[in-house]
Amino acid sequence: MRIVLAEDHFLLRDGVIRLLEAYGNEVVAAVESGPDLLAALTELRPDVAIVDIRLPPTFTDDGLRAALEARRRVPGLPVLLLSQYVEPLYAHELLADGAGAVGYVLKDRVFDGGQFVDTIRQVARGGTAMDPQVVSQLLTGKDRDTHLGSLTSREREVLEWLAQGRSNAGIAEGLFISEKAVAKHIGSIFTKLGLQPSDNDNRRVLAVLAYLDR
């Protein structure tokens, strides 16, 4: 994969570059600020961007803003946010266009290089990869919603796994239930949320997250 990395901490940036290259990827640009990120993404159009949310010059949401603007200029540009913080608002903003190819991973929860690279590939292929803690906070704050409140505890579990980009088989394995049971739960979830189910895993995840963003 051709990757643009945006990270202002030298040691972390250097470490991520080494990790990515060890798995056969090419880091075509490694930048430290929002403006440099936007320029690199629009000029180089990489297979995926790995972006820290808080970059110079303001150290607030410069990385996210640059990524969002780049996706406006290059629709569907894959972006994986790599942050120290669970900030659901930023996840909402990244998912808002419904184009897919997005992810949100917490830095202190990356424990395995191979798994991290697999997550990057998933986003690069157009999938959605959300850290379970991010998904949990997306769901928490919506408990007042009567539709979401109508889900059973098992359906909420399935919904969380869906939001992480898992397939039916992956959910079945993780929850120790059959794929047939997973399909039944998914059908019930979409019925209760007023959403149409889809055979495309990415689209159904985006539909669920789009609903949670309302």
Side-chain angles (χ1 to χ4, degrees):
M1 292 180 293
R2 296 174 63 254
I3 299 172
V4 166
L5 172 65
E7 170 58 58
D8 64 305
H9 292 285
F10 167 75
L11 289 178
L12 181 56
R13 184 173 64 252
D14 187 64
V16 173
I17 291 172
R18 291 174 184 271
L19 171 65
L20 295 172
E21 291 179 342
Y23 281 86
N25 302 291
E26 179 186 5
V27 179
V28 295
V31 301
E32 303 177 29
S33 71
D36 288 343
L37 173 60
L38 179 58
L41 292 180
T42 53
E43 178 183 350
L44 300 173
R45 303 197 175 201
D47 296 318
V48 62
I50 303 174
V51 178
D52 187 5
I53 293 172
R54 299 183 178 184
L55 292 175
T58 70
F59 293 98
T60 54
D61 58 359
D62 298 78
L64 173 71
R65 294 299 168 198
L68 291 173
E69 177 59 28
R71 278 171 66 90
R72 280 190 282 270
R73 299 183 187 184
V74 186
L77 177 70
V79 173
L80 175 67
L81 297 181
L82 185 61
S83 176
Q84 288 181 286
Y85 311 97
V86 180
E87 300 175 283
L89 176 61
Y90 294 146
H92 289 155
E93 292 198 48
L94 188 61
L95 290 160
D97 63 8
V102 296
Y104 193 139
V105 174
L106 298 179
K107 291 178 180 179
D108 62 0
R109 287 171 56 82
V110 177
F111 305 116
D112 181 89
Q115 187 176 35
F116 178 55
V117 172
D118 285 343
T119 298
I120 298 169
R121 291 193 182 113
Q122 181 176 334
V123 172
R125 291 193 298 263
T128 302
M130 307 295 288
D131 188 282
Q133 285 193 17
V134 177
V135 173
S136 178
Q137 290 211 18
L138 284 171
L139 292 173
T140 303
K142 298 290 180 179
D143 286 338
R144 294 186 301 272
D145 189 285
T146 57
H147 296 289
L148 190 60
S150 69
L151 300 183
T152 66
S153 59
R154 176 62 83 184
E155 287 167 352
R156 287 177 64 89
E157 287 181 320
V158 171
L159 180 59
E160 290 192 27
W161 285 69
L162 276 175
Q164 294 172 42
R166 301 300 184 96
S167 65
N168 284 16
I171 296 171
E173 181 180 357
L175 296 180
F176 302 102
I177 58 179
S178 69
E179 287 189 51
K180 184 177 180 180
V182 171
K184 182 178 179 181
H185 287 310
I186 291 173
S188 178
I189 289 168
F190 279 98
T191 297
K192 291 180 179 179
L193 299 185
L195 300 168
Q196 293 299 317
S198 168
D199 292 332
N200 184 297
D201 286 336
N202 182 51
R203 285 185 297 169
R204 68 185 183 180
V205 170
L206 290 172
V208 171
L209 291 177
Y211 171 83
L212 294 177
D213 191 36
R214 291 189 303 186

